[in-house]
Each structure stands twice: as structure tokens, then as C-alpha cells.
């Protein structure tokens, strides 16, 4: 085992070296964002132009190869948005391998799924279905009533609250979940 913080510091040096290869992403209304965002060993490249994104990926790949490290493109996802719509045709490569798009393989981050629709309409139905299935499972288990209530309060409700917090789910779905719990 090594120092737990050394990897973070090491990645920070690589990211700082690559950051100069692209300008900050223009978000409109004189608002911009740095081209690289990182948390632990996860890195997000945000660029306004396709060629800047390709240059950033090439620069990161070169720096990683110098360090005898490599990216795993199959674990990565790309998303290209032009004029507010997801563009399917734009693909990116790193280490001579294509990065899958979110249309090809959706990705889950912090409990939220990202796909090509960029909408949360299915998430509401999935959360309602999860509530129904979980309530049936609680009802069928052989526990006493007070333990069923404990499970509902401390396990199921927090599990249902997270999608309601991070996804844009309509209030009628939340009310339907509440009605199921109250029965």
C-alpha cells in the first residue's frame, strides 16, 4: 500500500499539464468552465469545440503514456451537444480506441442515468416500480410489523428519496409513491 493521497496529487500534475491545450468552455452569457474537471481518478473533458476536445484527449493520452498509465476507453463515455441537441455522428478516440457515446451505452453517475434523450421521464416510472416491488417484498417477509416499519423508514424511503432529489421527476409521481407507502 502506498499513500492514499499520492494518486490524487499525481493525477493533478497530469491534469495541470494537459489543461493548457484547450481554452475554457464557453457556456454562454460570459460564463466559462475549465476544460478539465476531476474527482479522484475520474476526469471530465469539457470543450466548446470538437477539435479542442480531440487535442485535449491526445495530450492526456501522451501524458498518461509517459507515466506508463493508460485510459480504458470502454469505461468512458462521450456526449456531443450542438445547438441543444445530442449529436450521434461525433465520436472520439483515445489510445486508438473509440469512446462509446451515451447513446450506445448509457452511464450512471451518482445515482443518475445519462443517455441520449437527456430526459428523466423514465426515471419516475422506474422509481415508482421500485417502490411497488419493495413494498410487496416488505409485506411478504416474515417480520413483525414494527420491523417492517423500521425497514420502510430507514432503508426504503432513503433509497427512494435519492432519485427524487437528483432527477427531474414530476410531483404526481412523488404523490403516487406516497400513496403506495400510505396504503
Amino acid at each position: 500500500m502506498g499513500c492514499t493521497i499520492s494518486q490524487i496529487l499525481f493525477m493533478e500534475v497530469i491534469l495541470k499539464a494537459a489543461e493548457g491545450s484547450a481554452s475554457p468552455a464557453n457556456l454562454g452569457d460570459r460564463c466559462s468552465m475549465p476544460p478539465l474537471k476531476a474527482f479522484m481518478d475520474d476526469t471530465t473533458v469539457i470543450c466548446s469545440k470538437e477539435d479542442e476536445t480531440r487535442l485535449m484527449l491526445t495530450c492526456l493520452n501522451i501524458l498518461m503514456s509517459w507515466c506508463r498509465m493508460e485510459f480504458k476507453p470502454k469505461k468512458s463515455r462521450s456526449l456531443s451537444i450542438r445547438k441543444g441537441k445530442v449529436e450521434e455522428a461525433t465520436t472520439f478516440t483515445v489510445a486508438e480506441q473509440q469512446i462509446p457515446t451515451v447513446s450506445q451505452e448509457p452511464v450512471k453517475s451518482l445515482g443518475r442515468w445519462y443517455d441520449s434523450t437527456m430526459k428523466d421521464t423514465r426515471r419516475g416510472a422506474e422509481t415508482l416500480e421500485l417502490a411497488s416491488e419493495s413494498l410487496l417484498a416488505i409485506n411478504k417477509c416474515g417480520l413483525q410489523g414494527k420491523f417492517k416499519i423500521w425497514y420502510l423508514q430507514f432503508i426504503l424511503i432513503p433509497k427512494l428519496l435519492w432519485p427524487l432529489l437528483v432527477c427531474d421527476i414530476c410531483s404526481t409521481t412523488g404523490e403516487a409513491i406516497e400513496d403506495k407507502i400510505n396504503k
Side-chain angles (χ1 to χ4, degrees):
M1 301 237 350
C3 176
T4 55
I5 200 164
S6 63
Q7 179 186 5
I8 299 166
L9 294 173
F10 186 68
M11 284 299 294
E12 186 68 23
V13 170
I14 292 170
L15 296 176
K16 285 293 180 193
E19 200 171 52
S21 64
S23 59
N26 182 13
L27 303 177
D29 293 334
R30 293 177 291 185
C31 185
S32 62
M33 182 178 286
L36 287 172
K37 301 286 249 172
F39 179 73
M40 301 299 277
D41 64 342
D42 293 331
T43 305
T44 303
V45 178
I46 305 168
C47 295
S48 298
K49 298 176 184 164
E50 185 179 333
D51 58 334
E52 283 186 356
T53 305
R54 293 186 195 288
L55 181 64
M56 177 68 71
L57 289 172
T58 303
C59 183
L60 282 169
N61 192 37
I62 290 169
L63 290 168
M64 294 297 275
S65 66
W66 284 350
C67 302
R68 295 189 184 128
M69 297 168 67
E70 61 182 36
F71 286 109
K72 295 178 182 171
K74 298 225 185 251
K75 288 184 157 187
S76 303
R77 298 294 179 275
S78 69
L79 174 65
S80 183
I81 301 175
R82 289 202 186 177
K83 297 182 181 177
K85 299 196 181 211
V86 175
E87 189 173 283
E88 306 284 335
T90 305
T91 59
F92 298 100
T93 59
V94 68
E96 298 177 9
Q97 294 180 28
Q98 183 176 341
I99 299 173
T101 63
V102 292
S103 304
Q104 296 166 340
E105 297 178 34
V107 65
K108 186 176 185 179
S109 175
L110 295 175
R112 183 177 184 157
W113 281 96
Y114 295 92
D115 58 10
S116 62
T117 63
M118 300 298 286
K119 295 180 182 175
D120 287 332
T121 52
R122 286 190 295 216
R123 307 302 164 240
E126 289 171 359
T127 306
L128 184 59
E129 185 179 332
L130 173 67
S132 298
E133 291 172 358
S134 300
L135 287 168
L136 282 174
I138 291 170
N139 196 30
K140 289 181 181 178
C141 74
L143 295 174
Q144 295 176 0
K146 64 181 179 182
F147 295 118
K148 288 181 181 181
I149 295 295
W150 183 91
Y151 188 86
L152 174 74
Q153 184 177 1
F154 294 106
I155 304 295
L156 182 59
I157 290 177
K159 188 176 185 177
L160 294 173
L161 280 177
W162 184 251
L164 294 172
L165 289 170
V166 299
C167 299
D168 191 20
I169 296 175
C170 64
S171 60
T172 55
T173 303
E175 290 169 359
I177 293 170
E178 184 181 8
D179 290 344
K180 286 190 178 294
I181 291 172
N182 289 335
K183 285 183 183 177

